[in-house]
Amino acid sequence: MPMHNSTIPKEFADLVVPMRSAHERILADLQHYQLVPPPPPSLPPARVRGVAAARAYPMQGVLKYHGLSDWAQRIAFLPSISLNNTAAHTTTLVEFDPALPADSAVIGGIPAQGRELERVVTVLDAVRSLAGITSHARVVSRNVLRTRVAGKGLGTSASAAAALACAAVGAIFGPELAGHTRFLSTLARLLAGSGCRSAAGGLALWLSYPGIPPVESYAVRLDQHHELDDIALITVPIDSRIGLKTEQAHHDAPHSIFFRAWMLARGDEVRECISAVRRGDWQTIGQLAELDSMRLHGVTMSGSREQRIIGWEPENITLFRLCNDLRARGIPVYASTDTGPTVVFITQREYAPAVTAAIADLGLGLETVIAPIGGPAHLISVEEALAEL
């Protein structure tokens, strides 16, 4: 991976020092709690031919992000935190073969083209560069949902990125390096920034700020001692009626008048989240997720004067108000949305049936799936992958 710093947009140059200082305080907390993962080992011998398959889980943002300070390296303006969600997963098979004339990818049974294929090849190129090989690859990938409706904002681009990185590394370098989530996260980030956190699993923190060296922009799992095992994630998939595109939101968000304040508040909130995990305080995590859902959409909606991105659907307002009603009745639950309208409720397992019953009582015909937090990206057998692909 490149050792130089990432690029710094000139209009944000004045925020580099405070964001770097916040990053250093976050690192100090991670070191205090012995959460910093070791750097990657020396690369093992690479193969020119190999095949491997991997599985990864989509993520739900807690402290969200929009906007990329370096598009080539997919470096975010601010650190972010998310929960891996087992309501779905991505299974990906990667086969490198010197006889292949070009890279190809089939995603959900459809050959990838254009920008979609370019993003896949970016990860393959990074692995090839590290390995010093030129073999092309065949990629087959599918999102496996536990819901009838896919919804927008479920986070499957993150799981696709993590599964691709894991399978590609496994095919060329073998299982040991494919299990090094810090290393994987820097590769998964190249397809989708949130893939960084999906690779790490659990409640994961992605370290990022403008100008950070790309090798230092990796993800760390915070719940390394089962502190959040009692959390239930209730996914309510909702389609975007406007055909929302996440990359457009990344372009628009930094133009919002709120964006700089969002950046500067982030360091203290990340540290609060780290501390909350150590106490097993899941409610602080839920509160931050719900609050930052409002901020994310406020930033997105105010990024353009002419073509504002309004990512929520009418159901979202009803569901956020439902959380207020349930909390008033003594049921602790928090609603979280990412770029799209899909909602993930965060609660404890004992309250999950009451929350799903309340959603059904709204009469909106919404689907719900209860699932635990997911782990990191990991290799699976080729045979298991083929059964799903």
Side-chain angles (χ1 to χ4, degrees):
M1 298 293 289
M3 292 301 294
H4 56 75
N5 288 357
S6 55
T7 59
I8 300 169
K10 62 180 181 180
E11 61 270 34
F12 289 92
D14 61 314
L15 295 189
V16 171
V17 171
M19 294 303 293
R20 185 189 299 123
S21 296
H23 171 79
E24 290 169 354
R25 290 192 292 271
I26 292 167
L27 276 181
D29 285 358
L30 293 174
Q31 290 163 352
H32 173 74
Y33 292 120
Q34 298 181 327
L35 293 173
V36 178
S42 299
L43 295 177
R47 300 186 285 255
V48 297
R49 181 193 305 271
V51 60
R55 178 172 295 150
Y57 300 100
M59 57 81 232
Q60 180 60 36
V62 173
L63 295 175
K64 331 279 183 169
Y65 94 101
H66 264 163
L68 294 166
S69 60
D70 185 325
W71 278 83
Q73 291 293 330
R74 295 194 83 89
I75 300 292
F77 283 95
L78 69 174
S80 55
I81 291 176
S82 65
L83 287 159
N84 269 15
N85 184 357
T86 58
H89 66 263
T90 300
T91 295
T92 300
L93 183 144
V94 177
E95 181 179 12
F96 286 91
D97 185 343
L100 291 172
D103 294 322
S104 65
V106 176
I107 301 172
I110 301 172
Q113 297 179 346
R115 177 62 179 152
E116 189 175 43
L117 180 59
E118 287 176 11
R119 293 172 72 179
V120 171
V121 172
T122 296
V123 176
L124 299 176
D125 281 345
V127 174
R128 279 190 286 252
S129 176
L130 290 168
I133 65 170
T134 59
S135 305
H136 288 115
R138 177 175 67 95
V139 177
V140 185
S141 184
R142 183 178 297 275
N143 295 326
V144 180
L145 310 178
R146 294 173 55 189
T147 58
R148 294 187 302 275
V149 177
K152 172 60 179 174
L154 183 57
T156 51
S157 61
S159 54
L164 173 64
C166 187
V169 170
I172 293 300
F173 291 110
E176 182 177 353
L177 192 60
H180 196 289
T181 56
R182 171 172 168 173
F183 174 74
L184 280 186
S185 70
T186 61
L187 294 170
R189 190 192 73 227
L190 299 176
L191 189 150
S194 296
C196 186
R197 292 182 260 106
S198 179
L203 183 78
L205 161 65
W206 172 18
L207 298 166
S208 195
Y209 65 87
I212 189 173
V215 293
E216 296 301 321
S217 186
Y218 58 84
V220 181
R221 182 169 186 171
L222 301 179
D223 58 323
Q224 294 184 14
H225 301 286
H226 306 283
E227 297 96 333
L228 304 178
D229 283 0
D230 197 38
I231 283 183
L233 303 176
I234 303 171
T235 301
V236 183
I238 302 173
D239 283 328
S240 171
R241 297 175 186 127
I242 64 169
L244 185 63
K245 300 296 183 184
T246 302
E247 290 219 342
Q248 186 59 50
H250 284 319
H251 279 289
D252 284 8
H255 299 293
S256 169
I257 195 171
F258 305 126
F259 192 79
R260 292 166 68 91
W262 198 40
M263 288 177 64
L264 291 170
R266 180 52 55 90
D268 287 342
E269 290 182 336
V270 167
R271 298 180 68 199
E272 182 181 4
C273 204
I274 294 170
S275 179
V277 173
R278 303 303 295 177
R279 301 191 306 270
D281 177 9
W282 73 272
Q283 285 188 261
T284 290
I285 294 164
Q287 290 166 356
L288 289 169
E290 188 169 289
L291 178 61
D292 216 47
S293 297
M294 312 294 179
R295 293 171 176 163
L296 177 79
H297 284 265
V299 165
T300 303
M301 288 188 286
S302 57
S304 170
R305 288 190 176 189
E306 184 66 23
Q307 297 294 332
R308 283 176 288 279
I309 298 175
I310 303 173
W312 283 339
E313 298 295 339
E315 295 91 333
N316 289 115
I317 304 301
T318 302
L319 292 171
F320 276 113
R321 286 175 174 165
L322 176 64
C323 277
N324 281 341
D325 295 340
L326 289 172
R327 290 196 291 265
R329 289 161 42 190
I331 298 174
V333 60
Y334 304 90
S336 178
T337 58
D338 288 336
T339 304
T342 290
V343 180
V344 175
F345 290 86
I346 302 171
T347 189
Q348 286 180 299
R349 292 182 185 181
E350 65 177 294
Y351 297 109
V355 174
T356 56
I359 296 168
D361 288 345
L362 294 173
L364 298 176
L366 296 171
E367 190 177 2
T368 57
V369 174
I370 302 172
I373 297 172
H378 58 280
L379 294 177
I380 60 174
S381 71
V382 170
E383 292 74 21
E384 186 178 357
L386 289 173
E388 289 189 337
L389 298 170

